[in-house]
mmCIF file of all heavy atoms in Angstrom:
data_model
loop_
_atom_site.group_PDB
_atom_site.id
_atom_site.type_symbol
_atom_site.label_atom_id
_atom_site.label_comp_id
_atom_site.label_asym_id
_atom_site.label_seq_id
_atom_site.Cartn_x
_atom_site.Cartn_y
_atom_site.Cartn_z
ATOM 1 N N LYS A 1 9.298 -4.451 2.084
ATOM 2 C CA LYS A 1 8.223 -4.673 3.054
ATOM 3 C C LYS A 1 8.518 -4.336 4.465
ATOM 4 O O LYS A 1 7.715 -4.615 5.362
ATOM 5 C CB LYS A 1 7.696 -6.160 2.809
ATOM 6 C CG LYS A 1 7.222 -6.423 1.524
ATOM 7 C CD LYS A 1 6.696 -7.889 1.457
ATOM 8 C CE LYS A 1 6.093 -8.113 0.065
ATOM 9 N NZ LYS A 1 5.472 -9.495 -0.071
ATOM 10 N N ASP A 2 9.697 -3.876 4.682
ATOM 11 C CA ASP A 2 10.087 -3.535 6.109
ATOM 12 C C ASP A 2 9.293 -2.293 6.598
ATOM 13 O O ASP A 2 8.843 -1.391 5.752
ATOM 14 C CB ASP A 2 11.586 -3.262 6.160
ATOM 15 C CG ASP A 2 12.366 -4.515 5.903
ATOM 16 O OD1 ASP A 2 11.883 -5.588 6.182
ATOM 17 O OD2 ASP A 2 13.591 -4.422 5.467
ATOM 18 N N ASP A 3 9.175 -2.214 7.883
ATOM 19 C CA ASP A 3 8.557 -1.048 8.479
ATOM 20 C C ASP A 3 9.592 0.224 8.376
ATOM 21 O O ASP A 3 10.800 -0.061 8.436
ATOM 22 C CB ASP A 3 8.249 -1.218 9.911
ATOM 23 C CG ASP A 3 7.154 -2.272 10.125
ATOM 24 O OD1 ASP A 3 6.284 -2.306 9.201
ATOM 25 O OD2 ASP A 3 7.151 -2.905 11.176
ATOM 26 N N TRP A 4 9.082 1.377 8.373
ATOM 27 C CA TRP A 4 9.913 2.551 8.297
ATOM 28 C C TRP A 4 9.064 3.734 8.890
ATOM 29 O O TRP A 4 7.914 3.712 9.060
ATOM 30 C CB TRP A 4 10.225 2.942 6.850
ATOM 31 C CG TRP A 4 9.120 3.203 5.925
ATOM 32 C CD1 TRP A 4 8.399 2.342 5.304
ATOM 33 C CD2 TRP A 4 8.564 4.558 5.733
ATOM 34 N NE1 TRP A 4 7.452 2.951 4.631
ATOM 35 C CE2 TRP A 4 7.461 4.276 4.864
ATOM 36 C CE3 TRP A 4 8.880 5.752 6.098
ATOM 37 C CZ2 TRP A 4 6.661 5.361 4.412
ATOM 38 C CZ3 TRP A 4 8.073 6.834 5.731
ATOM 39 C CH2 TRP A 4 6.996 6.603 4.802
ATOM 40 N N LYS A 5 9.842 4.773 9.340
ATOM 41 C CA LYS A 5 9.179 6.064 9.829
ATOM 42 C C LYS A 5 10.071 7.146 9.578
ATOM 43 O O LYS A 5 11.257 7.038 9.413
ATOM 44 C CB LYS A 5 8.952 5.868 11.333
ATOM 45 C CG LYS A 5 10.122 5.950 12.219
ATOM 46 C CD LYS A 5 9.779 5.943 13.710
ATOM 47 C CE LYS A 5 11.065 6.143 14.472
ATOM 48 N NZ LYS A 5 10.743 6.439 15.896
ATOM 49 N N ILE A 6 9.471 8.305 9.495
ATOM 50 C CA ILE A 6 10.204 9.635 9.344
ATOM 51 C C ILE A 6 10.673 9.961 10.706
ATOM 52 O O ILE A 6 9.881 10.007 11.674
ATOM 53 C CB ILE A 6 9.376 10.676 8.675
ATOM 54 C CG1 ILE A 6 8.963 10.176 7.259
ATOM 55 C CG2 ILE A 6 10.024 11.915 8.750
ATOM 56 C CD1 ILE A 6 7.960 11.105 6.627
ATOM 57 N N ASN A 7 11.974 10.268 10.908
ATOM 58 C CA ASN A 7 12.463 10.651 12.202
ATOM 59 C C ASN A 7 13.177 12.005 12.069
ATOM 60 O O ASN A 7 14.203 12.097 11.650
ATOM 61 C CB ASN A 7 13.546 9.584 12.570
ATOM 62 C CG ASN A 7 14.156 9.869 13.934
ATOM 63 O OD1 ASN A 7 13.893 10.893 14.552
ATOM 64 N ND2 ASN A 7 15.039 9.045 14.364
ATOM 65 N N ASN A 8 12.358 12.962 12.469
ATOM 66 C CA ASN A 8 12.896 14.388 12.532
ATOM 67 C C ASN A 8 13.137 14.807 13.961
ATOM 68 O O ASN A 8 12.827 15.951 14.358
ATOM 69 C CB ASN A 8 11.901 15.242 11.789
ATOM 70 C CG ASN A 8 11.778 14.992 10.324
ATOM 71 O OD1 ASN A 8 12.699 14.554 9.612
ATOM 72 N ND2 ASN A 8 10.608 15.264 9.727
ATOM 73 N N ILE A 9 13.820 13.904 14.730
ATOM 74 C CA ILE A 9 13.994 14.131 16.095
ATOM 75 C C ILE A 9 14.810 15.427 16.425
ATOM 76 O O ILE A 9 14.762 16.007 17.460
ATOM 77 C CB ILE A 9 14.603 12.913 16.704
ATOM 78 C CG1 ILE A 9 14.451 13.007 18.249
ATOM 79 C CG2 ILE A 9 16.075 12.725 16.377
ATOM 80 C CD1 ILE A 9 14.737 11.658 18.956
ATOM 81 N N LEU A 10 15.679 15.884 15.471
ATOM 82 C CA LEU A 10 16.501 17.063 15.705
ATOM 83 C C LEU A 10 15.766 18.396 15.319
ATOM 84 O O LEU A 10 16.347 19.442 15.521
ATOM 85 C CB LEU A 10 17.768 16.957 14.888
ATOM 86 C CG LEU A 10 18.679 15.780 15.345
ATOM 87 C CD1 LEU A 10 19.930 15.717 14.438
ATOM 88 C CD2 LEU A 10 19.119 15.895 16.735
ATOM 89 N N ASP A 11 14.540 18.294 14.932
ATOM 90 C CA ASP A 11 13.751 19.500 14.735
ATOM 91 C C ASP A 11 13.667 20.491 15.871
ATOM 92 O O ASP A 11 13.564 21.669 15.693
ATOM 93 C CB ASP A 11 12.312 19.176 14.172
ATOM 94 C CG ASP A 11 12.325 18.819 12.733
ATOM 95 O OD1 ASP A 11 13.382 18.722 12.105
ATOM 96 O OD2 ASP A 11 11.225 18.610 12.177
ATOM 97 N N ASP A 12 13.663 19.970 17.117
ATOM 98 C CA ASP A 12 13.653 20.723 18.309
ATOM 99 C C ASP A 12 15.031 21.390 18.609
ATOM 100 O O ASP A 12 15.063 22.393 19.304
ATOM 101 C CB ASP A 12 13.214 19.944 19.526
ATOM 102 C CG ASP A 12 11.762 19.475 19.494
ATOM 103 O OD1 ASP A 12 11.019 20.112 18.786
ATOM 104 O OD2 ASP A 12 11.429 18.435 20.161
ATOM 105 N N LYS A 13 15.997 20.842 17.973
ATOM 106 C CA LYS A 13 17.437 21.394 18.213
ATOM 107 C C LYS A 13 17.851 22.345 17.130
ATOM 108 O O LYS A 13 18.579 23.296 17.363
ATOM 109 C CB LYS A 13 18.354 20.279 18.275
ATOM 110 C CG LYS A 13 19.783 20.476 18.638
ATOM 111 C CD LYS A 13 20.633 19.315 18.831
ATOM 112 C CE LYS A 13 22.034 19.564 19.157
ATOM 113 N NZ LYS A 13 22.864 18.431 19.344
ATOM 114 N N TYR A 14 17.421 21.975 15.836
ATOM 115 C CA TYR A 14 17.879 22.795 14.702
ATOM 116 C C TYR A 14 16.669 23.157 13.836
ATOM 117 O O TYR A 14 15.678 22.415 13.847
ATOM 118 C CB TYR A 14 18.831 22.102 13.802
ATOM 119 C CG TYR A 14 20.068 21.508 14.521
ATOM 120 C CD1 TYR A 14 20.337 20.148 14.540
ATOM 121 C CD2 TYR A 14 20.972 22.474 15.103
ATOM 122 C CE1 TYR A 14 21.484 19.717 15.154
ATOM 123 C CE2 TYR A 14 22.173 21.896 15.675
ATOM 124 C CZ TYR A 14 22.320 20.635 15.774
ATOM 125 O OH TYR A 14 23.437 20.127 16.301
ATOM 126 N N SER A 15 16.623 24.212 13.170
ATOM 127 C CA SER A 15 15.624 24.572 12.160
ATOM 128 C C SER A 15 15.890 23.874 10.844
ATOM 129 O O SER A 15 16.875 23.918 10.345
ATOM 130 C CB SER A 15 15.610 26.103 11.841
ATOM 131 O OG SER A 15 15.328 26.808 13.095
ATOM 132 N N PRO A 16 14.864 23.155 10.449
ATOM 133 C CA PRO A 16 14.995 22.463 9.147
ATOM 134 C C PRO A 16 15.188 23.447 7.924
ATOM 135 O O PRO A 16 14.548 24.575 8.026
ATOM 136 C CB PRO A 16 13.692 21.696 8.915
ATOM 137 C CG PRO A 16 13.092 21.667 10.323
ATOM 138 C CD PRO A 16 13.583 22.864 11.046
ATOM 139 N N ARG A 17 15.960 23.115 7.032
ATOM 140 C CA ARG A 17 16.163 23.944 5.828
ATOM 141 C C ARG A 17 14.821 23.810 4.905
ATOM 142 O O ARG A 17 14.162 22.873 5.045
ATOM 143 C CB ARG A 17 17.326 23.519 4.984
ATOM 144 C CG ARG A 17 18.633 23.681 5.856
ATOM 145 C CD ARG A 17 19.779 23.021 5.114
ATOM 146 N NE ARG A 17 20.005 23.456 3.741
ATOM 147 C CZ ARG A 17 20.391 22.791 2.782
ATOM 148 N NH1 ARG A 17 20.691 21.495 2.913
ATOM 149 N NH2 ARG A 17 20.514 23.300 1.509
ATOM 150 N N PRO A 18 14.586 24.842 4.168
ATOM 151 C CA PRO A 18 13.445 24.794 3.223
ATOM 152 C C PRO A 18 13.573 23.521 2.239
ATOM 153 O O PRO A 18 14.606 23.139 1.888
ATOM 154 C CB PRO A 18 13.420 26.015 2.433
ATOM 155 C CG PRO A 18 14.243 26.954 3.237
ATOM 156 C CD PRO A 18 15.261 26.134 4.061
ATOM 157 N N ALA A 19 12.421 22.875 2.066
ATOM 158 C CA ALA A 19 12.466 21.640 1.225
ATOM 159 C C ALA A 19 13.144 21.838 -0.147
ATOM 160 O O ALA A 19 13.852 21.008 -0.587
ATOM 161 C CB ALA A 19 10.976 21.128 1.011
ATOM 162 N N LYS A 20 12.857 22.923 -0.779
ATOM 163 C CA LYS A 20 13.577 23.161 -2.101
ATOM 164 C C LYS A 20 15.036 23.292 -2.032
ATOM 165 O O LYS A 20 15.775 22.737 -2.813
ATOM 166 C CB LYS A 20 12.947 24.460 -2.693
ATOM 167 C CG LYS A 20 13.262 25.831 -2.065
ATOM 168 C CD LYS A 20 12.747 27.025 -2.760
ATOM 169 C CE LYS A 20 12.963 28.312 -2.017
ATOM 170 N NZ LYS A 20 14.333 28.575 -1.808
ATOM 171 N N ASP A 21 15.566 23.741 -0.828
ATOM 172 C CA ASP A 21 17.071 23.743 -0.690
ATOM 173 C C ASP A 21 17.556 22.338 -0.328
ATOM 174 O O ASP A 21 18.657 21.986 -0.853
ATOM 175 C CB ASP A 21 17.325 24.662 0.475
ATOM 176 C CG ASP A 21 17.076 26.162 0.238
ATOM 177 O OD1 ASP A 21 16.951 26.548 -0.876
ATOM 178 O OD2 ASP A 21 17.085 26.945 1.186
ATOM 179 N N ILE A 22 16.835 21.552 0.409
ATOM 180 C CA ILE A 22 17.249 20.210 0.623
ATOM 181 C C ILE A 22 17.275 19.468 -0.769
ATOM 182 O O ILE A 22 18.205 18.748 -0.921
ATOM 183 C CB ILE A 22 16.314 19.555 1.591
ATOM 184 C CG1 ILE A 22 16.323 20.180 2.964
ATOM 185 C CG2 ILE A 22 16.531 18.049 1.746
ATOM 186 C CD1 ILE A 22 15.182 19.757 3.937
ATOM 187 N N LEU A 23 16.217 19.483 -1.480
ATOM 188 C CA LEU A 23 16.181 18.812 -2.756
ATOM 189 C C LEU A 23 17.333 19.282 -3.711
ATOM 190 O O LEU A 23 17.929 18.379 -4.343
ATOM 191 C CB LEU A 23 14.752 19.018 -3.385
ATOM 192 C CG LEU A 23 13.665 18.280 -2.691
ATOM 193 C CD1 LEU A 23 12.299 18.747 -3.294
ATOM 194 C CD2 LEU A 23 13.760 16.869 -2.739
ATOM 195 N N ARG A 24 17.618 20.496 -3.677
ATOM 196 C CA ARG A 24 18.654 21.019 -4.584
ATOM 197 C C ARG A 24 19.986 20.524 -4.124
ATOM 198 O O ARG A 24 20.748 20.130 -4.932
ATOM 199 C CB ARG A 24 18.573 22.601 -4.611
ATOM 200 C CG ARG A 24 19.677 23.215 -5.558
ATOM 201 C CD ARG A 24 19.596 24.689 -5.705
ATOM 202 N NE ARG A 24 19.273 25.507 -4.517
ATOM 203 C CZ ARG A 24 18.147 26.143 -4.307
ATOM 204 N NH1 ARG A 24 17.235 26.106 -5.269
ATOM 205 N NH2 ARG A 24 17.771 26.727 -3.249
ATOM 206 N N SER A 25 20.271 20.611 -2.878
ATOM 207 C CA SER A 25 21.510 20.105 -2.316
ATOM 208 C C SER A 25 21.724 18.649 -2.553
ATOM 209 O O SER A 25 22.709 18.210 -3.016
ATOM 210 C CB SER A 25 21.597 20.400 -0.818
ATOM 211 O OG SER A 25 21.712 21.763 -0.562
#
């Protein structure tokens, strides 16, 4: 029941990998 949030704060610094690559890794 705790609060949560998605934190992609480094998206401005690095390019995110494709979702399929993240899931596979």
Side-chain angles (χ1 to χ4, degrees):
K1 294 183 180 184
D2 292 334
D3 292 334
W4 61 275
K5 71 175 187 169
I6 295 173
N7 183 355
N8 293 330
I9 197 166
L10 296 177
D11 281 3
D12 292 337
K13 187 175 180 181
Y14 306 118
S15 296
R17 297 170 56 214
K20 65 179 177 61
D21 293 346
I22 296 169
L23 292 171
R24 184 176 34 250
S25 295

